[in-house]
Amino acid sequence: MLLRLRISLPDRPGGLGQVARALGVLGADILQVTVLEREAGRAVDDFLVDWPASALTGGGVTSEKVTERLSSVPGIRVEGAWPTREVPGAAPDYDLLLHVAAEPGRGFATLVDALPGLCGAEWAAALADEEVRLRSVSAPEQVKLQGGGPLRPQTLVEGEAKLMVIPAGPYVLVVARADGPPYHRAELERTVQLVRVVARLATG
């Protein structure tokens, strides 16, 4: 089982080790750590973790148990724990760009296909309108992205859906997930940069 964990921890020597030890007790294999922010004496990190099948039998590891165990460590706050479809790899962004460079005519389609795995999302879509109908997790609803001015990259929360909305030439890219916390500004900035490179490759 792959889980993505967003954890706020003290930004001091040994803080990361506390989290690693707690995950080790649960039998987790830490595949990746991404630092999202460091300020005011705290850090917010995303952990991509995996468990062997043996840890999942007999009511073993669950998102709730992981959250409960980590939250018992002094100074540690779990901001989200959710299953992910991300594929661990050394450079998934570069893999995407290589595919786009090989077939630039399918650049945006390739990007949309890859974004759920890259962003820990459930779905992504390329839409043509600034005011779009989103497939919310609970029910379809009309979402006004931004009125009275140019559309800018942004994060939104609509019901249970956490969204990133990014203009990309003739499209508006929407990335959505239900589980986990709202998208962090570091996730938005990374995705915006990726979209810009793909747009250049796709349009020549």
Side-chain angles (χ1 to χ4, degrees):
M1 177 179 70
L2 277 176
L3 277 184
R4 192 173 179 191
L5 308 171
R6 179 158 301 165
I7 299 173
S8 173
L9 63 153
D11 188 14
R12 61 171 184 253
L16 191 59
Q18 286 183 296
V19 176
R21 283 191 294 274
L23 289 172
V25 169
L26 291 167
D29 182 12
I30 300 174
L31 304 177
Q32 182 178 307
V33 180
T34 304
V35 178
L36 298 178
E37 68 178 58
R38 297 177 67 184
E39 56 186 36
R42 295 192 67 82
V44 177
D45 296 348
D46 270 6
F47 293 77
L48 183 62
V49 296
D50 191 20
W51 276 269
S54 59
L56 307 177
T57 58
V61 175
T62 63
S63 299
E64 292 76 18
K65 286 186 178 180
V66 173
T67 299
E68 181 181 353
R69 176 69 183 88
L70 289 171
S71 297
S72 69
V73 179
I76 302 299
R77 293 199 306 266
V78 179
E79 297 187 357
W82 66 104
T84 181
R85 294 190 296 163
E86 293 171 83
V87 178
D93 292 8
Y94 294 119
D95 290 341
L96 165 64
L97 296 178
L98 286 173
H99 284 292
V100 173
E103 291 187 79
R106 295 195 70 256
F108 282 108
T110 302
L111 173 65
V112 170
D113 288 343
L115 281 174
L118 292 172
C119 301
E122 294 183 18
W123 59 266
L127 306 162
D129 300 323
E130 290 193 5
E131 188 168 325
V132 298
R133 184 171 295 278
L134 298 177
R135 291 184 294 119
S136 173
V137 174
S138 55
E141 53 188 294
Q142 192 77 13
V143 177
K144 180 73 172 177
L145 298 180
Q146 191 177 46
L151 183 64
R152 298 183 182 278
Q154 59 191 281
T155 61
L156 296 170
V157 177
E158 292 291 339
E160 296 178 21
K162 291 85 174 182
L163 311 171
M164 285 192 292
V165 180
I166 302 169
Y171 302 108
V172 175
L173 296 178
V174 181
V175 184
R177 68 181 174 219
D179 296 323
Y183 279 103
H184 191 275
R185 64 177 182 272
E187 292 178 284
L188 179 64
E189 290 167 3
R190 171 209 175 200
T191 307
V192 166
Q193 293 302 319
L194 192 59
V195 168
R196 286 175 178 167
V197 175
V198 169
R200 286 194 177 189
L201 292 171
T203 58

